[in-house]
Amino acid sequence: MTDNFSDKMLQPNLLEGQQQQYPLEMMMSTNTLENEMANLREDELESKSGSENLEGGASGDDQDPNNRPRKKRYHRHTQHQIQEMESFFKECPHPDDKQRKELSRELGLEPLQIKFWFQNKRTQMKTQHERHENTQLRNENEKLRTENIRYKEALSHTSCPNCGGPTSIGEMSFDENHLRIENSRLREEIDRISGIAAKYVGGKSFVPYPLPNLGVGNYGMHGTTGGEMYGAASDLLRSFSAPTDADKPMIIELAVAAMEELIRMAQLGEPLWLPGPDGATEILNEDEYIRTFPRGIGPKPFGLKTEASRETAVVIMNHVNIVEILMDETQWASVFSSIVSRAMTLEVLSTGVAGNYNGALQVMTAEFQVPSPVVPSRESYFVRYCKHHPDGTWAVVDVSLDTLRPGLGTRCRRRPSGCLIQEMPNGYSKVTWLEHVEVDDRAVNNIYKLLVNSGLAFGAKRWVGTLDRQCERLASAMATGIPSGDVGVITSQEGRKSMLKLAERMVMSFCGGVGASTAHTWTTVSGGAAEDVRVMTRKSIDDPGRPPGIVLSAATSFWLPVPPKRVFDFLRDENFRSEWDILSNGGVVQEMAHVANGREPGNCVSLLRVNSTNSNQSNMLILQESFTDSTGSYIIYAPIDLVSMNVVLNGGDPDYVALLPSGFSILPDGPKTHGGTLVGEVGSGGTLLTVAFQILVDSVPTAKLSLGSVATVNSLIACTVDRIKGAF
C-alpha cells in the first residue's frame, strides 16, 4: 500500500509545471497508511517483545480481591540477548519452530518472546526501508520539477538559428512550419535506423549529426567477381575498407537524405527535367537541380562531368523479388553481369525489419563497365538503402561515400541513384530507374565517346533494359507445359534449368573479362589490322569450371558502318557461322536444341553441332547464348564436349562443366537510329563491335607462354575481324 502511494507521488504534471493536486483516492490511501502505522505502534506496545519482557499476566492468581488487575510489569531484554537475536536475524529473518526453541534455550527466553521479537524486527526493517525509499523518490520528483521549469524557461527564449526570429508556431509561415514537420519526420527515421544499426556496432547508440534540410528552399565483407574469366578482384577494389564507428552516423543520414532526393527526382518533371532534342529522352537541368537540392553530397569536383537519366518500364517479376535481387549482392551482380563486373559488400549496417528488406542498409563497392577493353570501368564506394513507403512503393537508393575517403581520388561519384518499384497486377512490377553520376570520362576511346555521352552506356535505359530481359529469362526458366512440336525445343524443365544455369555462368565469365577492369592487365599487340588487339594471360588451377592450364585472352573493338540489328542477326545465325568462325573449319553448323528466353526471337540459348570433316571434332558441341535489348546485343559461346552436355540436359549439375567463353558485344555507336543498311560515320547509326576470344594454349599451368602462341591468337582475331568486315 505504501508502494502504491509512492508511485502516485512520482507523477508531477511535467508539461504544465503546476502545484500537484492529489485525487481523493490518494488522500484515502494516505489516511489508511497512517491508521496502519498507529495500529502497528499499539501492537508493539502491547507485546513489547522486541525490547521488553512481560513479567506479569492476567490470570486469576494475579488479581487483587477487588478484581482490579494489577499493573503489568516489563523488563528489557539484556544487551547480550538483543545482540544474539540481531546476529541471527541477519542470517535468518524467518526462524522456524525448531530454531526459535533453540534460541529460547540459549538466551533464557520463551519461544513466544522469540517469535514476537522477530515479527516486530521485520516490521521495523520494512518501515525503515519504505521511509528511505519515499525520501529518495521525493528528491527525484523535486529534481524533475526543477528541470521542467528550467526547460520551459529556455524554450520561451529560443530563436531560429537561420533567421533569428522566434520559434513559436504561430509566428511561422506555412512553408516554415511544413519544413519543421518534415525534418522532424526525417529525424524519427534516422533514430529508427540508428537503433537498428546500433546492434551491429557493439550496442553503441548514435548521436545524429545536423540533418540536411530537404524541404522547400532548404534541403562483414563478401564479394562477387563477375570477372572470373580473368581472376581475382583488384587491389584497388579491395582497398575500400569497412566504415568506422565514427562514420556510421553520417552514413545513415546520407542514406535517408538520398532516399528523399531519389523520390523527388523520380517524380518531378519540368523544370528539373527538360525534353531532349529527339523528344523521347530527358535532360537534367543542372542549375535547377542545384537550386532544388543545394546540399546533397557537396559540389561537383573539378574535372568531372554529369550524367543523369531516368527510365520507366513494366517488367514480368514480382516487386518483392526485384527488391531481393537488388539487395543481394550476388544476385545483383549475376542479373546485371553485363554492367556490374564486380561487387563487394563491406558491411551490413541493418538487415531490415519485419522479415524483409525494409530499412536494410549496407556499405558496398562495385565496378561498372561497358563490355569493351577501350572503355575504362567505373569504381564506386557507396551505401545502399532500401525502404518500403506507406503507399506500397519500394525504393532502393545508392549514394557515394567518397567524402569519407577523400584520399582515394575517385573518378566516379554516384549522386542518389536507384529505382522505385510499384506492384502491378498478375505478378508484374512498374520500375522507375534513375542514374545520376559525376565521372571523369577523358580516357574513353573516341569511337565510344558519343555512346557514353548519350547515357546508353551507363544510363538508366541500359539498367531497365537489362532488368526487363532478365525477368523474361527467369520466366522462361520457370515455364511449364512447353509444347514439343518444334524440333530441338527442350521440354524437360530440369534440363532447361541446368542448360540456362550453365549459359548464365558462361555469360558472366565473358562479360566480367572483356571489359577494361582494373583487375585486368591488358597488353596491346600491334597487328596487321587497323585495330589494336589487347591480350592477357591467366593460369587456371583447381577450378572445376575451367580447363586447367594457361589461357590466353584476346579482344579488340572497332566500328562497322551497318546497324547493330543487322550485325546481331548475321553473327547469331548458324547458317552464316562458317563465314566468320575460322575454328569451324568450314563445316556445316546445325542447331540441335534451343531454349527461348523472351519475346525477342534472338533471345535464346542454343546447342550447336559442327559437322566437320575432322574426326577429332566429331564429339564437340557449341553452347551459345544470344540476347538483345534497346541498348545492346550479345552473342557468347563456348565449346563443350558431348558427355558433359548430356549430363546437363538430363538435369545434372552444370557447375563442373569446364568452359572457355568467347563472343561479341554489339552496341550502337550513339543515340541515333538508322533504317537503312549502311551509314556514313560514327554516330549515324552504325555498330561498335567487340570481339573476344579465349584459347587454352598449354594444358600445364606452370608452363611459360611462348611468343608463337601470342602471334597465333593475334592472327586468329585479326582474321576474324577481316571476315566480319568483308561480310558487310
Side-chain angles (χ1 to χ4, degrees):
M1 196 168 291
T2 307
D3 292 339
N4 187 28
F5 174 73
S6 302
D7 291 339
K8 292 184 177 180
M9 283 286 290
L10 285 174
Q11 297 180 4
N13 191 335
L14 295 179
L15 295 177
E16 299 298 333
Q18 297 175 353
Q19 184 67 28
Q20 292 184 356
Q21 300 294 330
Y22 298 104
L24 180 59
E25 307 93 284
M26 191 179 297
M27 300 301 295
M28 293 176 64
S29 175
T30 307
N31 294 336
T32 304
L33 175 64
E34 292 173 353
N35 293 338
E36 285 189 1
M37 295 297 292
N39 293 336
L40 183 60
R41 291 192 206 96
E42 290 176 5
D43 293 342
E44 187 175 359
L45 288 174
E46 287 177 1
S47 63
K48 277 298 183 179
S49 300
S51 61
E52 297 178 349
N53 188 26
L54 180 63
E55 285 284 349
S59 64
D61 294 340
D62 295 331
Q63 296 181 7
D64 63 10
N66 296 326
N67 292 328
R68 288 185 303 175
R70 68 184 179 183
K71 186 177 181 180
K72 297 177 182 178
R73 292 183 295 110
Y74 299 90
H75 79 267
R76 296 182 179 277
H77 292 317
T78 65
Q79 190 67 25
H80 171 71
Q81 290 171 334
I82 294 174
Q83 287 178 351
E84 289 296 322
M85 287 189 288
E86 290 276 6
S87 177
F88 194 90
F89 182 85
K90 292 179 181 178
E91 300 295 332
C92 179
H94 294 273
D96 55 22
D97 290 341
K98 183 178 179 181
Q99 291 171 318
R100 286 197 294 268
K101 289 179 181 179
E102 183 68 26
L103 274 175
S104 67
R105 283 197 299 271
E106 292 178 2
L107 302 178
L109 297 173
E110 294 295 328
L112 194 59
Q113 290 177 300
I114 299 294
K115 178 180 179 180
F116 286 159
W117 188 91
F118 273 87
Q119 283 180 347
N120 290 340
K121 184 65 176 177
R122 288 194 295 269
T123 303
Q124 180 185 8
M125 294 300 293
K126 181 179 179 183
T127 303
Q128 289 176 356
H129 175 73
E130 289 174 346
R131 186 179 299 117
H132 176 70
E133 191 177 57
N134 285 341
T135 301
Q136 280 187 317
L137 294 177
R138 272 194 217 96
N139 292 338
E140 291 184 15
N141 193 17
E142 188 63 30
K143 183 179 178 181
L144 290 173
R145 185 184 293 107
T146 303
E147 286 188 1
N148 185 27
I149 295 173
R150 181 166 60 85
Y151 288 149
K152 285 189 66 178
E153 182 69 18
L155 286 173
S156 65
H157 294 89
T158 55
S159 60
C160 175
N162 294 325
C163 65
T167 58
S168 172
I169 294 295
E171 300 180 35
M172 290 184 186
S173 68
F174 174 80
D175 287 343
E176 289 173 329
N177 188 29
H178 176 74
L179 279 176
R180 187 175 294 272
I181 295 172
E182 181 71 4
N183 286 343
S184 175
R185 183 183 66 79
L186 292 176
R187 285 190 182 279
E188 289 176 0
E189 183 173 352
I190 286 178
D191 291 342
R192 180 178 63 81
I193 299 175
S194 298
I196 297 172
K199 296 186 296 185
Y200 299 89
V201 287
K204 299 177 182 178
S205 60
F206 290 140
V207 179
Y209 285 58
L211 178 68
N213 292 327
L214 294 171
V216 180
N218 217 3
Y219 295 93
M221 188 179 299
H222 49 96
T224 295
T225 302
E228 58 176 307
M229 176 172 166
Y230 295 107
S234 71
D235 292 338
L236 183 58
L237 191 64
R238 294 187 181 277
S239 68
F240 293 107
S241 59
T244 64
D245 289 352
D247 293 334
K248 290 172 184 177
M250 180 61 77
I251 290 174
I252 291 172
E253 292 198 29
L254 277 174
V256 173
M259 179 63 72
E260 293 294 323
E261 181 173 321
L262 175 74
I263 298 296
R264 299 188 65 200
M265 288 277 287
Q267 295 174 346
L268 292 177
E270 295 188 43
L272 184 64
W273 293 95
L274 303 176
D278 57 357
T281 58
E282 294 176 306
I283 300 174
L284 179 67
N285 185 338
E286 291 192 52
D287 293 336
E288 183 65 24
Y289 172 79
I290 294 173
R291 283 193 293 269
T292 308
F293 308 101
R295 301 182 71 172
I297 58 175
K300 179 169 64 177
F302 178 76
L304 301 188
K305 60 172 292 185
T306 298
E307 292 180 8
S309 58
R310 66 177 179 179
E311 189 77 15
T312 300
V314 176
V315 299
I316 183 171
M317 181 176 284
N318 183 281
H319 61 292
V320 176
N321 293 336
I322 297 177
V323 171
E324 182 178 349
I325 288 173
L326 297 176
M327 297 306 296
D328 183 330
E329 152 238 313
T330 303
Q331 292 189 60
W332 179 58
S334 174
V335 169
F336 296 99
S337 59
S338 62
I339 305 175
V340 181
S341 59
R342 291 174 299 150
M344 185 179 296
T345 299
L346 299 177
E347 185 165 351
V348 177
L349 300 182
S350 170
T351 57
V353 294
N356 56 44
Y357 285 103
N358 183 25
L361 195 70
Q362 53 199 42
V363 177
M364 305 176 65
T365 62
E367 187 177 47
F368 307 105
Q369 66 157 3
V370 169
S372 169
V374 299
V375 180
S377 61
R378 299 177 175 183
E379 290 185 308
S380 185
Y381 173 53
F382 57 93
V383 59
R384 176 164 291 179
Y385 175 39
C386 177
K387 184 180 178 183
H388 188 202
H389 292 272
D391 63 355
T393 301
W394 285 85
V396 178
V397 65
D398 298 343
V399 63
S400 278
L401 300 177
D402 304 296
T403 53
L404 303 179
R405 303 288 185 271
L408 290 177
T410 304
R411 292 171 42 248
C412 175
R413 189 167 73 152
R414 287 176 73 76
R415 288 192 177 271
S417 303
C419 63
L420 273 61
I421 308 158
Q422 296 173 275
E423 182 180 11
M424 302 285 285
N426 302 320
Y428 284 77
S429 298
K430 180 182 179 182
V431 178
T432 301
W433 202 289
L434 174 74
E435 281 294 308
H436 189 190
V437 299
E438 294 164 343
V439 64
D440 178 4
D441 64 351
R442 288 173 292 182
V444 175
N445 188 281
N446 286 334
I447 63 172
Y448 279 85
K449 279 190 179 295
L450 191 58
L451 175 71
V452 173
N453 293 340
S454 70
L456 291 177
F458 294 95
K461 188 172 184 178
R462 187 174 175 213
W463 286 93
V464 170
T466 302
L467 177 63
D468 185 25
R469 176 177 53 79
Q470 290 284 33
C471 289
E472 289 188 354
R473 190 182 196 276
L474 181 61
S476 173
M478 303 302 294
T480 58
I482 305 296
S484 57
D486 295 339
V487 177
V489 175
I490 301 174
T491 57
S492 165
Q493 188 173 17
E494 292 302 319
R496 291 166 61 87
K497 284 185 178 180
S498 293
M499 188 170 174
L500 288 174
K501 185 177 180 182
L502 180 61
E504 180 183 51
R505 178 161 65 85
M506 177 180 69
V507 171
M508 287 185 64
S509 179
F510 174 84
C511 292
V514 72
S517 168
T518 54
H520 305 162
T521 304
W522 290 104
T523 300
T524 302
V525 179
S526 58
E531 297 79 19
D532 289 331
V533 177
R534 289 166 170 79
V535 298
M536 74 170 72
T537 60
R538 177 186 49 77
K539 294 180 180 180
S540 175
I541 304 174
D542 297 330
D543 187 346
R546 284 188 288 264
I550 296 180
V551 177
L552 182 63
S553 304
T556 189
S557 297
F558 58 97
W559 179 74
L560 282 174
V562 290
K565 186 178 185 306
R566 184 180 171 199
V567 177
F568 175 69
D569 290 339
F570 170 76
L571 292 175
R572 76 177 180 86
D573 192 335
E574 67 273 13
N575 296 319
F576 296 117
R577 192 177 187 98
S578 59
E579 294 188 26
W580 59 265
D581 188 358
I582 299 174
L583 299 181
S584 65
N585 290 326
V588 178
V589 181
Q590 179 184 3
E591 183 182 71
M592 299 180 61
H594 74 271
V595 177
N597 271 346
R599 59 182 179 269
E600 290 287 343
N603 292 4
C604 67
V605 177
S606 303
L607 187 61
L608 308 176
R609 182 167 186 169
V610 180
N611 296 318
S612 174
T613 56
N614 188 344
S615 60
N616 294 330
Q617 295 183 345
S618 59
N619 292 328
M620 185 59 64
L621 304 175
I622 296 175
L623 178 67
Q624 174 177 292
E625 177 162 3
S626 59
F627 51 89
T628 183
D629 58 46
S630 58
T631 61
S633 307
Y634 301 82
I635 300 168
I636 301 162
Y637 61 91
I640 182 172
D641 64 89
L642 183 61
V643 175
S644 299
M645 199 64 228
N646 281 333
V647 173
V648 172
L649 292 177
N650 290 324
D653 187 0
D655 291 340
Y656 294 94
V657 177
L659 292 176
L660 282 179
S662 302
F664 308 93
S665 72
I666 307 163
L667 305 178
D669 62 359
K672 293 183 180 180
T673 58
H674 193 278
T677 57
L678 292 175
V679 295
E681 59 184 6
V682 174
S684 59
T687 298
L688 299 173
L689 181 64
T690 297
V691 183
F693 286 146
Q694 284 192 101
I695 304 294
L696 183 68
V697 295
D698 200 312
S699 59
V700 180
T702 56
K704 293 184 178 180
L705 181 67
S706 66
L707 292 178
S709 299
V710 176
T712 299
V713 174
N714 183 40
S715 175
L716 172 65
I717 199 169
C719 186
T720 302
V721 170
D722 287 341
R723 286 194 175 194
I724 292 174
K725 288 182 176 180
F728 294 106

